[in-house]
Amino acid sequence: MIKVTHLVKRFGDSTVLDGIDLEIDRGEIIVVIGPSGTGKSTLLRCLNFLERPDAGRLVIGDLDVDVTRASRADILAARRRTAFVFQNYALFANKTALENIAEGLIVVNRWPRAKAHARAREILARIGLADKADAYPASLSGGQQQRVGIGRAMAAQAEVILFDEPTSSLDPEWVEEVLALMKQLAKERQTMLVVTHEMGFARDVADRVIFMEGGRIVEQGPPSRLFNAPEDPRTRDFLRKVLAGQPASGTF
C-alpha cells in the first residue's frame, strides 16, 4: 500500500534522512521510536510533502512519484492520501471545532459546505465531542483540541494517518483520552504511522515498531521481539534509558 524507497532529506550540510526504505501494508499500525533529532518527524513530514525530500520514490496506493520531480498535482494527490496529526494541534484559532474538521473537506476535497459540515458532525460524535461543535480551540482542553485534530484526519478518509508525537504537548491528565481514541482507530484497522515516546502504546497497539537513529532505520520488528530482545546495541541502549524506572519485573 505504501512504499518508500531510498528517501533522503538534507538541511544544509546535515543529512536528516539517509536513505530510508519502508513498506506499510493496508491496516498496519507502525510506531516509530528513537532519540530526539534522529529524523522521525521529518520522515512523516516528507511523506506528506510538508518537507520536500531531496531524493527517493514514494508509492501511496495508486500514486507513484519520484519525489525530486513531484509536481504540484502529485503533492496534492499525496496529501489526499495522507492525513497529518500535529503535536501542537495546528487548529485554526478563528474556526470552531466543526469548521476545523470540515475545512480540509471543503478546500482540498472540494466538498459542498453542507456536506462537509454534516461529515464533521458525524466525526465529532465519534470522538466524543458532539457538544463542542461550536466551540473555538481556546475554550477546549489540550486533549479536546488534539481529538479535534485527529477528527480532522479521520474526516479525510486518507489511506494513512501520520501522527507526529500526538501526546507530547499534552498535560498528563489529557494523554490517556487521546491514546484511547488512537487505540480505537487501531482496532478499526486504520493504517497508521505514529512517531511517539509512549512505549506502552507501542507495546500494546503496534503491529511493528521501528527504531531510528542517525537518520536511518536501525531495527524493526513486532513489539514483543523488539522490546524483549532487541538485536542492535543502539536499540538496547535507547530502550534501557527510556524504560528506566519501569518495574524490574515488567516485560514488553
Side-chain angles (χ1 to χ4, degrees):
M1 180 200 154
I2 299 170
K3 185 175 182 179
V4 180
T5 306
H6 199 67
L7 194 69
V8 175
K9 175 61 183 175
R10 304 182 186 92
F11 292 107
D13 295 331
S14 176
T15 300
V16 180
L17 297 178
D18 192 9
I20 297 291
D21 293 316
L22 175 63
E23 292 190 34
I24 305 173
D25 292 331
R26 185 179 300 278
E28 194 172 15
I29 292 88
I30 308 294
V31 173
V32 185
I33 63 173
S36 297
T38 199
K40 305 184 301 296
S41 294
T42 301
L43 170 61
L44 265 59
R45 295 177 69 85
C46 284
L47 297 184
N48 192 253
F49 282 94
L50 291 171
E51 298 287 354
R52 184 69 176 251
D54 293 295
R57 192 162 204 90
L58 176 61
V59 176
I60 307 175
D62 59 355
L63 175 69
D64 186 343
V65 60
D66 179 335
V67 298
T68 62
R69 297 182 179 141
S71 65
R72 177 172 174 78
D74 290 330
I75 292 171
L76 288 174
R79 289 177 178 168
R80 288 191 185 99
R81 290 163 174 78
T82 59
F84 207 100
V85 176
F86 298 85
Q87 57 183 283
N88 63 347
Y89 326 136
L91 301 180
F92 296 107
N94 64 335
K95 294 184 182 296
T96 65
L98 183 142
E99 290 169 336
N100 266 282
I101 292 174
E103 183 72 7
L105 297 175
I106 295 168
V107 174
V108 178
N109 292 31
R110 307 289 185 182
W111 282 24
R113 186 172 300 274
K115 180 181 177 182
H117 282 198
R119 173 66 174 158
R121 289 188 188 281
E122 292 175 3
I123 295 296
L124 284 166
R126 282 187 64 192
I127 64 177
L129 293 175
D131 61 333
K132 300 294 184 181
D134 297 324
Y136 289 90
S139 68
L140 300 174
S141 70
Q144 289 170 333
Q145 289 186 63
Q146 191 59 294
R147 279 193 281 161
V148 172
I150 294 172
R152 177 176 55 192
M154 293 165 60
Q157 296 181 300
E159 297 197 37
V160 59
I161 299 182
L162 310 171
F163 291 85
D164 183 16
E165 295 281 9
T167 61
S168 65
S169 296
L170 297 176
D171 291 333
E173 63 265 33
W174 307 123
V175 169
E176 191 51 46
E177 68 180 57
V178 171
L179 291 179
L181 177 55
M182 294 172 65
K183 289 175 182 178
Q184 181 58 45
L185 289 176
K187 287 180 181 178
E188 297 169 5
R189 303 314 297 176
Q190 164 67 56
T191 309
M192 299 161 61
L193 182 60
V194 183
V195 170
T196 186
H197 289 293
E198 297 286 346
M199 297 298 140
F201 177 86
R203 174 198 62 198
D204 295 338
V205 177
D207 297 305
R208 185 167 23 127
V209 177
I210 291 173
F211 174 70
M212 284 184 65
E213 198 272 335
R216 297 180 179 180
I217 293 176
V218 172
E219 186 172 358
Q220 58 183 302
S224 57
R225 202 277 300 162
L226 191 132
F227 280 105
N228 286 326
E231 297 173 354
D232 192 281
R234 289 168 291 182
T235 312
R236 290 196 296 270
D237 182 61
F238 172 78
L239 290 174
R240 184 165 51 247
K241 290 176 181 176
V242 298
L243 298 177
Q246 293 275 340
S249 58
T251 60
F252 287 82

